Amino acid sequence: MSETGLPALGGCRCGQVRLAVSTPPMLTMACHCSGCQRMTGSAFSLSAAIPSQGFAVTAGEPVIGGLHGPEAHHYFCPHCMSWMFTRAVGMDWFVNLRPTMLDAPRWQAPFIETYASQKVPWATTPAVHSFPKFPSVEDYQALTAAYADWAAAQPEG
Ligand SMILES: [Zn+2]
Ligand SMILES: [Zn+2]
């Protein structure tokens, strides 16, 4: 996955909220938890963990929906209600962006999948690592290192 074409621009379905990503992800994920199933209306959510300094909302004012805490805040467009990104409370160094918000989608292939214990029976992803719930904080350090090598070998997207 190249680092060209940055910043990557994106927005919600209606375009009221726009964002720009200037730093590649540290990790890409699919989450099969029942909460993500509810908020997406689909089998799983996709995330790209973007370092916070490389993420900017450039138009509009996202509102919190979904979980209002204590563990996470889910951000939505106030008009079209697209679920755009997530901030983990107490972990302000990254933002979990839904890569489907990007105008030219990239970073969609999940390197890991979480909450496989709750996945719908037919849902499969190409994730290299699968976890019944979330990995531990210690696991994430090794996973982000492994992701960088894996991402470098991936075709764009
Ligand atoms: Zn919108
Ligand atoms: Zn989830």
Side-chain angles (χ1 to χ4, degrees), residues 40-156:
T40 58
S42 188
F44 50 82
S45 67
L46 295 175
S47 291
I50 306 293
S52 293
Q53 74 273 12
F55 176 83
V57 172
T58 56
E61 295 283 344
V63 296
I64 295 175
L67 290 182
H68 293 237
E71 61 266 44
H73 289 156
H74 297 126
Y75 287 86
F76 292 72
C77 169
H79 184 67
C80 71
M81 301 296 178
S82 299
W83 179 30
M84 302 184 72
F85 59 93
T86 302
R87 291 184 188 275
V89 173
M91 291 184 274
D92 58 3
W93 59 90
F94 72 95
V95 176
N96 275 341
L97 171 69
R98 310 278 88 72
T100 44
M101 298 300 140
L102 297 174
D103 297 338
R106 62 198 293 190
W107 309 322
Q108 292 186 321
F111 182 62
I112 73 168
E113 60 180 8
T114 58
Y115 267 88
S117 56
Q118 295 181 353
K119 80 182 191 72
V120 302
W122 50 261
T124 58
T125 79
V128 178
H129 300 283
S130 183
F131 296 87
K133 293 187 174 179
F134 289 122
S136 68
V137 172
E138 298 75 42
D139 287 335
Y140 276 113
Q141 293 171 356
L143 288 167
T144 54
Y147 169 77
D149 291 340
W150 176 83
Q154 295 300 303
E156 191 61 53

